[in-house]
């Protein structure tokens, strides 16, 4: 059998990483951060357990990257849905609704994400997923008519993070509609813009449990689940490399 080309190996590595990101989001959303191990994530992804450390320094960094992927793809989907628009006020309303929607629909996952950002030993970890999220939010600020993006983008980010935190505080959460109203008033947005709380969400559902559209992980591409021994998938060159370390 002839060896695989470099492009084929690169594609296999990309798919392996995508499966790990998706598995991390699914499991932390189901069980919480502490109850999810790297072995659990590798098993759900159908990958060798050593493969996780091949791509990520640790569990917190993996989970941050996975949640930032979910956030930026959710935001991207909201901004580009039909009817497409370049109107700045509508796009800002969609952005606010997309981020608040994650707090409403995926509270366990987003609460664990916020807690991780506040941990001094890890804190905020820049990654490609986070940079894409930042690009989308900065573009939203630009389209909204900002004259000082370097000031207004961090403020929007802070406002959104604060609203998510307020929605998720155990015992005293603020209702998402009230947080939305506050943000809409701050940015002088009409309540009817975006997806008002009493309107049907695009696609007919508020929280689609299938996250595969956010990750390039076709079912036919997923290898067999791990047998629990941590052995590498024989079709995965990255897995073999991780196991050989």
């Amino acid at each position: 059998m002839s060896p695989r080309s470099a492009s084929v190996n690169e594609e296999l590595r990309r798919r392996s990483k995508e499966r790990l990101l998706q598995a991390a989001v699914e499991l932390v959303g189901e069980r919480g951060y502490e109850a999810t191990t790297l072995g659990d994530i590798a098993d759900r992804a159908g990958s060798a357990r050593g493969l996780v450390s091949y791509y990520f320094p640790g569990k917190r960094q993996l989970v941050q990257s996975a949640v930032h992927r979910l956030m930026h793809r959710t935001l991207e989907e909201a901004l580009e849905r039909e009817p497409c628009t370049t109107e700045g006020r509508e796009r800002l309303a969609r952005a606010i609704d997309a981020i608040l929607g994650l707090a409403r629909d995926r509270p366990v996952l987003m609460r664990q994400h916020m807690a991780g950002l506040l941990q001094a030993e890890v804190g905020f970890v820049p990654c490609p997923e986070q940079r894409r999220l930042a690009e989308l939010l900065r573009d939203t600020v630009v389209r909204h008519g900002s004259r000082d993006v370097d000031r207004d983008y961090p403020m929007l980010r802070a406002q959104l993070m604060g609203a998510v935190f307020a929605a998720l505080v155990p015992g005293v959460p603020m209702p998402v509609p009230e947080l939305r109203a506050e943000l809409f008033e701050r940015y002088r947005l009409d309540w009817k813009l975006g997806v008002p709380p009493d309107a049907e969400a695009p696609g007919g559902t508020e929280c689609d449990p299938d996250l595969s559209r956010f990750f390039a992980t076709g079912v036919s591409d997923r290898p067999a689940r791990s047998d629990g021994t941590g052995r590498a998938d024989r079709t995965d060159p990255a897995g073999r490399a991780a196991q050989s370390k």
Side-chain angles (χ1 to χ4, degrees):
M1 180 182 294
S2 60
R4 288 192 294 260
S5 67
S7 62
V8 170
N9 285 335
E10 180 61 29
E11 176 65 11
L12 288 172
R13 285 191 289 269
R14 184 185 67 82
R15 293 183 185 182
S16 294
K17 189 173 181 179
E18 291 283 321
R19 288 193 294 268
L20 290 170
L21 289 170
Q22 182 176 343
V25 163
E26 291 174 348
L27 285 170
V28 174
E30 293 168 10
R31 307 176 184 178
Y33 180 81
E34 297 299 333
T36 300
T37 68
L38 289 176
D40 294 334
I41 293 171
D43 287 347
R44 172 69 66 91
S47 299
R49 299 189 183 191
L51 186 60
V52 181
S53 60
Y54 181 80
Y55 293 118
F56 302 96
K59 183 170 74 167
R60 182 62 71 183
Q61 290 85 348
L62 166 56
V63 173
Q64 272 201 39
S65 291
V67 176
H68 280 138
R69 162 66 70 85
L70 176 63
M71 292 177 71
H72 94 62
R73 289 299 304 275
T74 297
L75 177 57
E76 186 175 59
E77 186 175 79
L79 292 174
E80 301 306 324
R81 73 167 182 264
E82 298 291 343
C84 293
T85 180
T86 59
E87 204 280 314
R89 296 169 71 250
E90 170 64 21
R91 289 179 73 86
L92 180 56
R94 292 184 183 190
I96 291 171
D97 285 336
I99 301 303
L100 289 181
L102 286 170
R104 178 195 63 220
D105 298 334
R106 307 188 191 278
V108 174
L109 182 66
M110 295 304 293
R111 188 177 293 118
Q112 299 298 323
H113 178 61
M114 296 298 291
L117 294 178
L118 296 174
Q119 287 191 346
E121 62 271 22
V122 178
F124 182 79
V125 180
C127 66
E129 309 300 340
Q130 180 276 325
R131 286 192 288 272
R132 180 57 181 149
L133 176 62
E135 289 169 1
L136 289 170
L137 287 176
R138 284 183 68 91
D139 180 69
T140 299
V141 169
V142 170
R143 291 172 185 262
H144 189 246
S146 171
R147 297 181 179 179
D148 188 349
V149 178
D150 290 335
R151 176 180 65 87
D152 293 339
Y153 157 65
M155 183 58 67
L156 174 61
R157 182 182 63 195
Q159 293 289 330
L160 290 173
M161 290 179 68
V164 170
F165 181 84
L168 297 175
V169 176
V172 288
M174 287 192 66
V176 166
E178 291 185 18
L179 295 166
R180 182 185 195 267
E182 183 69 23
L183 287 170
F184 271 46
E185 181 178 356
R186 175 183 178 85
Y187 289 102
R188 299 178 182 177
L189 302 174
D190 294 336
W191 184 257
K192 65 183 180 180
L193 295 175
V195 185
D198 58 349
E200 183 178 358
T205 179
E206 291 187 349
C207 184
D208 187 349
D210 182 7
L211 299 176
S212 61
R213 70 187 186 281
F214 296 145
F215 302 88
T217 53
V219 174
S220 62
D221 297 325
R222 179 173 293 205
R225 293 286 179 90
S226 167
D227 60 5
T229 65
R231 288 194 295 268
D233 172 10
R234 296 301 179 186
T235 67
D236 188 343
R240 292 201 302 273
Q243 288 290 63
S244 65
K245 287 187 175 181

